[in-house]
Amino acid sequence: MNETLPSRSPGETDGPSPRPNQEKTRTGTAPDDDRAGGEGRSAKPRDALFDNAKYLAIVLVAVGHAWEPLRSESRTVTALYTLVYAFHMPAFIIISGYFSRSFDWSPGKIKRLITGVAVPYVVFEVAYTLFTRWSDSEPDRPISLLDPLYLTWFLAALFIWRLTTPIWRALRWPLPIALTIAALATLAPSIGKDLDLHRTLQFLPYFVLGLSLKKEHFETVRRREVRILAVPVFAGALIVAHWAVTRMNYAWFFHKSSAEGLAAPAWYGPVMTLAVFGCSTVLVAAFVALVPRRRTWFTALGAGTLYGYLLHGFFIQAAGHWNWSRNDWFHTPLGGIAVTVIAAVVVTALCTAPVRRIFRAAFEPRMDWAFRRQTPAQTPAQAQAQAQAPESVAASK
């Protein structure tokens, strides 16, 4: 399945800039990125909580993709897979919404939205199409910018979500409206695959929820009693997931089909929209409660999660082409652990500064040539001085 953006999590835009000793400028390691459509650089330090959460979530994304070929042979793997898919993309999307709160249609932010979301979408849509011609043995697969391939759906959705942010910020009841739209999307199998609108509309409530959150909400779930409660919440969720393996279609957590597409009665769609949203929101809160607040060895990697998100897919596709899952050893408990560790190590490496330097042109293109030069906004003092200038000239005559 989603990511910010260059040098941040998928979707982060107006978060604080890195500490001076964490990230350097373009001539050093990866820069602070506010190129995805949010605020400019801030003097505030980055909040380690969000960087830690983004890193841990992207590891779960990669591990979930690595587990896919193992599901048919193990009920435990399927239960873990279901649990992970219940909250990892909602967590990313909620954080994306939270860091998109200040987005508006000003020229500077539109520019960052295009260079930080639209351009990487085009680049990786083409790259994945060409790559999967080999990995999927489909040499004639066409390039289509309207039909997101594999992981690129998130960038297409993020572009739409962020572009509509001022509308959601202006509404009195944005979340109920977003939930209504998501529920209606489950009743419309005719939506089709254009821009993966099923996912865009059905994941929309999580983005809108993020837009509605404040720092105090994150502080609330960080309280000691909530952190203690989060452990039995995840334990209970895993038990339920294990029970539901043969009783529920976990594809509801993918949010990419209508109820009809999942072979369910139409009325299931709105009901499951609310049920899945409630389940996922509780799990995201429990996840955030358990994420370390202090700086750790992986905190700096949280600034490069979009790199890990989009690049790890090539490894997953290549491994599938070589049919690694046909080796029976990988279907043993020890083999499953090995697959998990390998996926975590690979995606961790892809979030590091050297990788970001290599691929920066694809994620953070410098495209000043494509935009009109913006006149810096005047300060009140400058505006007043300019207004008084003609009067001073007249007085001197």
Side-chain angles (χ1 to χ4, degrees):
M1 254 200 284
N2 325 327
E3 21 61 159
T4 159
L5 297 170
S7 5
R8 314 165 93 114
S9 78
E12 183 175 349
T13 65
D14 62 350
S17 60
R19 289 178 172 83
N21 64 348
Q22 174 184 325
E23 299 290 343
K24 299 180 182 179
T25 62
R26 254 183 112 73
T27 59
T29 56
D32 165 30
D33 82 299
D34 293 291
R35 303 178 55 75
E39 291 290 338
R41 298 171 186 261
S42 167
K44 296 180 181 179
R46 293 176 69 98
D47 191 331
L49 171 65
F50 293 108
D51 280 333
N52 292 339
K54 290 178 293 183
Y55 167 76
L56 294 174
I58 196 60
V59 168
L60 291 175
V61 169
V63 168
H65 288 151
W67 283 344
E68 287 182 0
L70 307 180
R71 290 171 294 174
S72 61
E73 302 292 331
S74 172
R75 182 168 182 164
T76 299
V77 170
T78 304
L80 289 169
Y81 179 87
T82 302
L83 176 61
V84 165
Y85 268 78
F87 75 91
H88 70 356
M89 284 310 296
F92 263 134
I93 295 168
I94 288 172
I95 293 175
S96 297
Y98 179 73
F99 283 101
S100 296
R101 292 168 298 159
S102 66
F103 180 85
D104 55 33
W105 295 324
S106 62
K109 292 179 181 178
I110 292 295
K111 174 185 175 180
R112 287 190 288 271
L113 179 62
I114 292 173
T115 59
V117 180
V119 172
Y121 169 73
V122 173
V123 169
F124 280 91
E125 181 65 21
V126 172
Y128 269 117
T129 300
L130 298 178
F131 191 81
T132 55
R133 286 179 180 178
W134 165 75
S135 64
D136 292 349
S137 299
E138 293 187 22
D140 297 325
R141 173 171 282 168
I143 295 174
S144 174
L145 298 182
L146 295 180
D147 185 8
L149 180 63
Y150 197 33
L151 304 178
T152 59
W153 73 267
F154 180 79
L155 294 179
L158 183 61
F159 185 87
I160 295 172
W161 294 333
R162 185 160 297 139
L163 200 59
T164 60
T165 291
I167 298 174
W168 297 111
R169 298 285 289 170
L171 294 175
R172 180 171 293 181
W173 301 292
L175 186 56
I177 293 174
L179 282 168
T180 300
I181 292 173
L184 291 175
T186 66
L187 302 175
S190 61
I191 287 179
K193 296 183 178 180
D194 288 351
L195 295 179
D196 219 338
L197 284 179
H198 263 298
R199 275 175 167 159
T200 301
L201 298 178
Q202 292 185 45
F203 273 117
L204 174 63
Y206 301 101
F207 184 81
V208 173
L209 175 60
L211 289 175
S212 306
L213 293 179
K214 298 179 181 179
K215 184 177 181 180
E216 299 79 56
H217 295 115
F218 289 96
E219 295 297 336
T220 298
V221 300
R222 295 292 304 166
R223 295 193 331 230
R224 185 172 181 273
E225 56 269 30
V226 179
R227 300 189 69 183
I228 294 174
L229 183 61
V231 175
V233 165
F234 268 112
L238 181 57
I239 293 172
V240 172
H242 193 274
W243 170 85
V245 166
T246 59
R247 298 173 175 85
M248 173 187 166
N249 186 349
Y250 54 71
W252 286 104
F253 292 112
F254 299 164
H255 297 286
K256 65 178 183 180
S257 302
S258 64
E260 180 181 309
L262 296 176
W267 64 268
Y268 272 38
V271 172
M272 289 301 292
T273 295
L274 296 177
V276 168
F277 179 78
C279 172
S280 297
T281 301
V282 170
L283 289 174
V284 170
F287 170 70
V288 172
L290 294 175
V291 169
R293 182 63 184 266
R294 66 187 183 282
R295 290 185 58 78
T296 67
W297 65 267
F298 56 80
T299 300
L301 299 176
T305 47
L306 185 63
Y307 288 75
Y309 174 76
L310 289 174
L311 293 175
H312 88 275
F314 294 102
F315 290 84
I316 296 294
Q317 293 291 325
H321 177 78
W322 291 318
N323 299 312
W324 66 271
S325 61
R326 293 183 181 179
N327 187 317
D328 292 339
W329 181 79
F330 287 116
H331 293 272
T332 65
L334 187 59
I337 293 174
V339 169
T340 302
V341 172
I342 292 171
V345 169
V346 168
V347 77
T348 297
L350 294 175
C351 293
T352 58
V355 173
R356 286 149 58 187
R357 282 198 298 269
I358 293 171
F359 291 98
R360 182 173 294 138
F363 287 84
E364 306 177 63
R366 293 291 185 182
M367 297 182 60
D368 293 341
W369 54 268
F371 299 91
R372 295 179 179 178
R373 181 170 298 179
Q374 300 299 316
T375 303
Q378 288 184 323
T379 64
Q382 289 173 329
Q384 182 178 5
Q386 183 176 356
Q388 293 175 345
E391 298 177 7
S392 300
V393 172
S396 66
K397 291 183 179 180

